[in-house]
Amino acid sequence: MAHAHQKSDSHTVDFQVDPVVLELGQRFVDAGHELSLVGGPVRDLFLGRLSPDLDFTTDATPDQTLALIRKWADNFWEIGRAFGTIGMKKSGFQIEITTYRAEAYDPESRKPAVAFGSSLTDDLLRRDFTINAMALRLPTLELVDPFGGVRDLHASVLATPGAPETSFSDDPLRMMRAARFASQLGVAVRDDVKRAMTQMAERITIISAERIREELVKLICGTHPRVGIDLLVDTGLAEFVLPEVSALRLEADEHHRHKDVYQHSLQVLEQAAGMETDGEGPVPGPDFVLRFAALMHDVGKPATRRFEPGGAVSFRHHDMVGSKLTKKRMKALRFDNDTIKAVARLVELHMRFYGYGEAGWSDSAVRRYVTDAGPLLDRLHLLTRSDVTTRNQRKADRLSFAYDDLEARIAALREQESLEAVRPDLDGGQIMALLGLKPGPVVGKAYKFLLDQRMEYGPLEPAVAEAKLREWWADQPEAAQHEPAAGVELSTTEES
C-alpha cells in the first residue's frame, strides 16, 4: 500500500493507495498521457474509506486506453465506449477510465450528449459537486482541487463546481443525487443549490424512471434517510418522484386534532432503520424493503381522512389504500415485482397488530398473522414497533408490552407446530381420493376449507381431518355429482 501526504486548507491527509493505482498511472504516463483518480474514490480517501470501485479520467481516447490496458487488465469491457468509458477488472478492483469530457442534456432528451475534452480542470468543472470534483494525479498523487472540494467536505457542505443551475441543466438527476448525498454523508446542501433544485424540480421529469429509482434506493439506504427525503419534499422534487409522500404534509390540521402524518412517517423511517440488525440478525441493515415500507406505510391517509362527529379524525382502510398506492408508485419507478410485492404487503399489514392488546388473539389469529406475513414476518415485527411515535410513555409502553406478548405467543406456537408454511392436514391428492374428485376448482374449495381448519385448530390427526372434510362435503351442492371413495387409505406424508 503506497502512502502520500497532502495538505489542503490546514488539513493533512495520509492517503493509502493500492499499488494497482500507481501501476496504472505509470502505464499512462510512460505512454505520454495523463491519468488521475477522480470523484468518489478521492472523496472516500478523505473520509478514511477505501473503495473497491475506482474511477479514473484521462486525456487518452477510448482507443488509446484500450491499447494500454488490453494486456494489463484481468478482463475488460467496452459497453460505455460511446461515452468515453472503458471498464475493467484488475486484482479485485472494478475500474472505469473515462476520457476528459463535457456532457450536457438536450432539454427534451433523456440521453446525454458527449463531447471529449482535453483538460483535467474542465473535466472536474462538469462534475456534479465539489466534493466529487477532486482528483489525484498519477503516479505523483498530487491533489487537484480547483473548486474547494476538501474545504466543503470538512465543512459538510454540498456545493456545485460552477453555477448549480448549469450543473442541474446538464443532468437533472444531480438534484436527486444531492438528496442522496445528504442521506449518505450527512452533508448540508448550500442555499444556492437548494434554491436551484426548487426552481428546476420539474426538470427531473426528463430523467428515466430507472435512474431515479437507483438514486432513491441509495437515498433510502443511506445513514440519514430522513434528511434526504425531507430535502426532496422541501424542494418540490418529491412532487414528481414521490408525490404520495409530499401529500402527507396536508395531514397536519390547524386544530392539531391528530399528529403530523408527514413528520410521523419520517420518524417511523428513522426508527425502523435504527432497529435493523447486524449481518447475523434477521433483518440486516440497510434493508430497503423495511425502510421504504416505513416511509410509505401511511400514504393511504390523505385519501381516507374523514372528520367524525365530535371532532375525531378517522382513516379507515388507509392500510389497503396505501398498499395500492405504494404498488402503483413502485411500478412507475420500475421496481422489480418481488420488491414491489414485499413493500406493498408490509404497508397492507402494518395495522394488523392493533387491537391485539385490547381484545387479545386466539391461537388461530396468531397463526393467520404469521402466515399472512410469511417471509416478511421479521420485517413486520420491526415496522410495527417503529410505528409507535407517541410521546405518551404509558401508551408506548402498553403497545410495546403487547407486541412482546404477541412475539412470545408466536414463539410458543412455533415450539408446538410449524408456522412457517401452514398447510392443510390432507394434501390435494388425498382430498381427491376421499371425495372421488378430479383436479378442478372444487378441490381448491376443499383445500381452502381444510386450511381454515388448520388455522383454527392447529395440526389435526388425519382421521380427524378426514371426518371434518366429509362433514363439510355433505353440505356442498357439488357432492351429489360425485361419489366419495370408501375405505381410502391415507398417506400421512406431507405434500412436498
Side-chain angles (χ1 to χ4, degrees):
M1 192 75 71
H3 293 255
H5 293 282
Q6 288 290 347
K7 269 193 158 183
S8 180
D9 291 352
S10 302
H11 295 283
T12 301
V13 178
D14 184 14
F15 293 131
Q16 295 187 15
V17 180
D18 194 274
V20 164
V21 173
L22 301 180
E23 186 183 334
L24 184 58
Q26 194 64 54
R27 270 184 100 76
F28 274 73
V29 169
D30 289 348
H33 295 296
E34 297 177 1
L35 186 75
S36 299
L37 186 68
V38 72
V42 179
R43 179 195 71 228
D44 287 349
L45 285 172
F46 279 95
L47 296 173
R49 304 190 304 217
L50 289 176
S51 173
D53 298 336
L54 301 176
D55 295 326
F56 296 86
T57 188
T58 180
D59 61 347
T61 65
D63 284 345
Q64 290 168 329
T65 295
L66 271 174
L68 285 167
I69 63 92
R70 193 182 295 274
K71 293 181 180 178
W72 178 81
D74 296 334
N75 62 306
F76 64 91
W77 52 93
E78 304 176 48
I79 192 168
R81 187 171 182 166
F83 301 103
T85 300
I86 302 298
M88 70 204 74
K89 281 204 170 182
K90 177 71 175 182
S91 303
F93 289 100
Q94 184 152 313
I95 293 170
E96 287 191 347
I97 302 177
T98 303
T99 304
Y100 295 156
R101 67 191 190 198
E103 183 178 282
Y105 269 75
D106 182 290
E108 306 304 322
S109 173
R110 293 180 172 187
K111 295 184 178 179
V114 174
F116 296 146
S118 57
S119 158
L120 174 58
T121 302
D122 289 348
D123 183 85
L124 295 177
L125 175 63
R126 55 151 287 275
R127 293 180 180 268
D128 54 3
F129 302 107
T130 58
I131 61 173
N132 295 329
M134 300 183 284
L136 284 181
R137 287 192 188 274
L138 299 171
T140 61
L141 295 178
E142 173 200 348
L143 177 66
V144 181
D145 181 18
F147 306 107
V150 173
R151 174 200 65 215
D152 291 343
L153 196 57
H154 283 292
S156 290
V157 170
L158 199 66
T160 53
E165 293 82 4
T166 303
S167 182
F168 298 152
S169 183
D170 282 351
D171 185 355
L173 187 68
R174 289 171 174 175
M175 296 185 286
M176 287 289 298
R177 285 168 64 81
R180 187 249 284 190
F181 285 123
S183 169
Q184 288 183 326
L185 303 176
V187 292
V189 176
R190 210 166 70 179
D191 287 346
D192 63 332
V193 175
K194 191 171 181 180
R195 192 161 50 245
M197 290 169 69
T198 305
Q199 293 168 351
M200 302 176 69
E202 191 175 2
R203 285 273 289 153
I204 199 69
T205 56
I206 74 164
I207 301 298
S208 70
E210 290 82 359
R211 293 184 74 207
I212 290 171
R213 179 197 67 221
E214 287 178 17
E215 290 299 328
L216 181 63
V217 169
K218 291 174 183 175
L219 185 163
I220 295 292
C221 291
T223 309
H224 312 278
R226 180 176 189 156
V227 175
I229 292 296
D230 224 8
L231 184 59
L232 290 183
V233 172
D234 285 349
T235 57
L237 275 165
E239 296 285 351
F240 303 101
V241 298
L242 278 179
E244 298 81 6
V245 173
S246 291
L248 293 174
R249 289 178 303 173
L250 303 177
E251 295 313 302
D253 64 76
E254 67 277 13
H255 302 298
H256 302 290
R257 284 180 289 207
H258 61 282
K259 60 191 168 189
D260 180 337
V261 181
Y262 171 65
Q263 290 299 331
H264 163 75
S265 297
L266 292 185
Q267 190 176 343
V268 174
L269 166 61
E270 198 169 51
Q271 291 181 175
M275 290 182 186
E276 291 166 341
T277 65
D278 60 20
E280 303 300 313
V283 187
D287 187 275
F288 174 79
V289 168
L290 170 64
R291 293 183 181 204
F292 200 55
L295 176 65
M296 302 292 282
H297 78 283
D298 274 348
V299 295
K301 282 191 170 179
T304 58
R305 182 170 66 166
R306 297 291 181 271
F307 293 101
E308 307 291 346
V313 181
S314 69
F315 303 97
R316 289 190 184 89
H317 307 303
H318 78 270
D319 43 359
M320 303 300 293
V321 172
S323 179
K324 290 177 182 176
L325 288 173
T326 299
K327 197 176 294 185
K328 184 177 179 182
R329 177 56 44 203
M330 293 182 74
K331 282 182 178 176
L333 289 169
R334 305 287 193 271
F335 278 92
D336 64 278
N337 287 334
D338 288 345
T339 304
I340 293 173
K341 286 177 182 175
V343 175
R345 187 66 163 158
L346 284 174
V347 173
E348 178 187 337
L349 293 174
H350 84 271
M351 292 294 293
R352 182 73 68 86
F353 159 73
Y354 293 94
Y356 177 83
E358 287 79 9
W361 283 2
S362 64
D363 284 352
S364 170
V366 175
R367 287 187 196 99
R368 291 181 191 280
Y369 188 76
V370 174
T371 301
D372 289 348
L376 298 170
L377 182 63
D378 288 315
R379 289 184 175 108
L380 183 58
H381 288 334
L382 299 190
L383 176 60
T384 304
R385 288 184 181 277
S386 65
D387 194 19
V388 179
T389 60
T390 178
R391 293 178 183 175
N392 182 328
Q393 194 58 47
R394 287 179 63 186
K395 182 179 179 183
D397 287 344
R398 188 171 70 249
L399 288 167
S400 179
F401 293 150
Y403 208 86
D404 288 345
D405 187 60
L406 174 58
E407 288 203 55
R409 291 273 305 283
I410 291 171
L413 272 177
R414 273 194 174 127
E415 287 186 8
Q416 300 169 29
E417 56 186 273
S418 171
L419 294 179
E420 310 315 318
V422 175
R423 294 173 176 165
D425 297 285
L426 304 178
D427 63 29
Q430 292 168 325
I431 291 169
M432 288 188 287
L434 277 168
L435 304 182
L437 297 174
K438 293 180 179 178
V442 180
V443 179
K445 281 178 65 178
Y447 188 91
K448 184 178 182 305
F449 165 75
L450 285 176
L451 182 58
D452 287 341
Q453 298 298 298
R454 171 69 175 81
M455 289 286 191
E456 191 66 34
Y457 302 107
L460 301 172
E461 291 295 326
V464 176
E466 178 186 347
K468 283 182 174 291
L469 179 64
R470 290 188 184 279
E471 184 180 345
W472 169 84
W473 183 240
D475 294 332
Q476 302 306 304
E478 299 92 343
Q481 304 166 26
H482 302 276
E483 279 297 319
V488 174
E489 185 177 332
L490 294 175
S491 166
T492 57
T493 57
E494 281 198 18
E495 187 180 20
S496 61

